[in-house]
Amino acid sequence: MSYLPYVVAGWLFLVGLYGVVTSRNLIHLAVCLTVTQSSTYVLLLAIAFKHRSTAPVFYGIPPGPRAVDPVLQALPLTDIVVSVTVVALILSLALDIHEQANTVDPEEIVEVSG
């Protein structure tokens, strides 16, 4: 069993989290959140992977073969849809803040009224 996907998922999470903590730009923050969420895709797919397994369609196949779990393969697709929606919302809010405050630095935003 290879632990490489788990290590990659961990490093993606740590790099994204470091970027979120040290970010001084709202656009950079959105990108770092995307990197952090991509670690969940890698982790879910690593959990769902089984070496020498077949698709979960059992018509005409004798009982007993190893099959992958279709739920764990469908979860990353759902996660991608949710992350695209969240990033679109964050970027639209960053655009609104930039129009009102003329900055994307979170430290320089004093008051935003809408």
Side-chain angles (χ1 to χ4, degrees), residues 19-20 22-31 90-110 112:
V20 167
T22 62
S23 178
R24 294 291 164 245
N25 188 331
L26 294 175
I27 309 298
H28 183 258
L29 178 69
V31 171
I90 290 173
L91 290 177
S92 67
L93 290 173
L95 244 164
D96 286 343
I97 289 173
H98 178 66
E99 288 176 358
Q100 290 183 8
N102 289 330
T103 185
V104 288
D105 187 2
E107 299 288 328
E108 294 178 10
I109 300 170
V110 288
V112 176

Side-chain angles (χ1 to χ4, degrees), residues 17-57:
L17 190 64
Y18 176 77
V20 167
V21 171
T22 62
S23 178
R24 294 291 164 245
N25 188 331
L26 294 175
I27 309 298
H28 183 258
L29 178 69
V31 171
C32 290
L33 281 174
T34 305
V35 170
T36 304
Q37 278 190 321
S38 68
S39 69
T40 61
Y41 314 152
V42 174
L43 183 64
L44 285 171
L45 290 174
I47 291 170
F49 179 76
K50 290 182 182 177
H51 189 66
R52 296 188 187 266
S53 59
T54 62
V57 179

Side-chain angles (χ1 to χ4, degrees), residues 67-85:
V68 295
D69 188 4
V71 174
L72 287 175
Q73 291 183 348
L75 282 176
L77 294 175
T78 307
D79 198 9
I80 290 169
V81 171
V82 170
S83 70
V84 166
T85 306

